[in-house]
Amino acid sequence: MAESRFVYVTYIRTTPEKLWRALIDPEFTRRYWCETYQVSEWKPGASWKSMIPDGRVADAGEILEIEPNNKLVLTWQNQFIPDLQAEGHSRLTYELEVVGESVKLTLTHEIDRPNSQLIDAVSSGWPHLLASLKSLLETGESLVETRKWPEGM
Amino acid sequence: MPANVDNLFKALADPGRRLLLDRLYADNGQTLGQLCEHLDMTRQAVTKHLKLLEKANLVVTLWRGREKLHYLNPVPIHDIAERWIGKFERRRLSVLAELKKRLEGETDG
């Protein structure tokens, strides 16, 4: 295989509007995404970055495609772990689709290289964050382990 | 359809399907043809298993060009861990903590 890819599909009892907000709004992401928040003008071609609470940049890239409440595609390069940064840009896609009383969220994180360390790393991170996001939207509470940026990281 | 718990456990209750999950864990994003290699199952059997795994949301498929790739979806396994392991583990840990407290209490007294 010439690429590495992580795929995640979850059903969340919410609306596309609420889920969309939770994916990009700092007020939400800080609660389930380890206190990080994203900075972007959220339009095609705009820069995008995800900030660590201490002021460092976690990941950065560019918005490729954006259809509010429906689809978001952006490039993503790690900025704080040299080995991962060296792999260059990956691509993250969120797709939202109403299914009955839920929204089906499909997340695809991919990079054009085999055996990517970045994809390995995010493969263990995303399940926690997305389970926490689901919990936050469905119950109002995120999962405890995703509320704080990990110490020393 | 959001997968229900019955579909999930049904999907896991078959050695062939568990083997397919193991194969995807080892090498995620395979075509049907790749999954069939070195397996002692017919293509039809693998197709049927994959359908059930998809229904249970354990496997998701993506089209890339003319290839349909199969990916392991970690969500249901994570949910099982949370619901069926984490909960009981916590209970076990709290029982141990209680025992420790009592034993230590005894030495003190």
Side-chain angles (χ1 to χ4, degrees):
Chain A
M1 234 189 323
E3 74 272 318
S4 307
R5 186 176 290 123
F6 171 77
V7 187
Y8 186 106
V9 175
T10 186
Y11 293 84
I12 303 177
R13 277 195 311 278
T14 186
T15 63
E17 293 75 19
K18 283 185 189 159
L19 177 54
W20 184 262
R21 222 183 126 200
L23 290 173
I24 67 177
D25 189 330
E27 183 200 328
F28 280 90
T29 60
R30 281 195 179 102
R31 293 167 70 189
Y32 70 86
W33 198 333
C34 305
E35 298 182 283
T36 64
Y37 60 98
Q38 300 162 85
V39 180
S40 177
E41 286 178 33
W42 302 111
K43 56 185 188 194
S47 68
W48 165 90
K49 57 188 175 177
S50 171
M51 305 296 297
I52 298 171
D54 65 16
R56 285 177 297 157
V57 179
D59 308 283
E62 183 187 320
I63 308 291
L64 295 180
E65 216 182 302
I66 182 163
E67 290 171 45
N69 309 327
N70 190 24
K71 189 176 185 186
L72 176 63
V73 187
L74 51 85
T75 61
W76 167 307
Q77 183 183 28
N78 184 289
Q79 302 290 311
F80 71 108
I81 301 173
D83 281 357
L84 303 187
Q85 188 170 20
E87 290 194 351
H89 282 285
S90 62
R91 193 167 52 253
L92 175 71
T93 304
Y94 295 114
E95 287 164 289
L96 289 66
E97 183 194 337
V98 176
V99 178
E101 296 186 347
S102 300
V103 181
K104 177 185 181 187
L105 171 66
T106 304
L107 178 152
T108 313
H109 201 155
E110 57 203 334
I111 193 166
D112 293 329
R113 60 159 62 217
N115 310 316
S116 158
Q117 286 184 59
L118 173 79
I119 297 304
D120 234 33
V122 299
S123 298
S124 58
W126 279 124
H128 285 289
L129 300 182
L130 293 169
S132 188
L133 164 67
K134 177 179 163 79
S135 171
L136 178 62
L137 285 169
E138 292 183 349
T139 72
E141 293 277 323
S142 58
L143 301 181
V144 178
E145 71 262 28
T146 64
R147 288 183 199 161
K148 293 269 171 244
W149 180 258
E151 240 176 86
M153 191 161 148
Chain B
M1 269 258 304
N4 70 41
V5 178
D6 289 344
N7 283 344
L8 178 57
F9 281 101
K10 211 177 287 171
L12 289 170
D14 179 276
R17 290 196 285 276
R18 292 196 297 272
L19 179 63
L20 286 169
L21 293 177
D22 285 336
R23 301 290 289 252
L24 288 177
Y25 182 84
D27 189 6
N28 214 358
Q30 298 187 58
T31 61
L32 175 62
Q34 288 167 329
L35 278 167
C36 287
E37 278 171 36
H38 321 293
L39 273 186
D40 202 14
M41 281 188 257
T42 63
R43 202 177 166 90
Q44 287 88 333
V46 174
T47 305
K48 221 172 127 188
H49 284 323
L50 286 172
K51 221 170 252 172
L52 278 165
L53 289 169
E54 259 193 80
K55 199 172 156 200
N57 202 21
L58 284 160
V59 164
V60 292
T61 56
L62 281 187
W63 283 95
R64 280 295 178 269
R66 291 177 55 209
E67 287 194 321
K68 187 184 189 186
L69 304 178
H70 298 79
Y71 285 87
L72 191 64
N73 185 30
V75 178
I77 302 277
H78 191 264
D79 288 347
I80 290 180
E82 279 287 310
R83 166 69 179 84
W84 293 99
I85 300 169
K87 193 169 85 174
F88 294 102
E89 187 73 2
R90 278 194 290 280
R91 162 113 184 96
R92 195 171 69 88
L93 291 176
S94 70
V95 168
L96 283 175
E98 182 62 25
L99 179 66
K100 179 177 188 295
K101 217 162 73 186
R102 282 176 56 183
L103 291 173
E104 286 175 350
E106 276 170 20
T107 1
D108 284 350

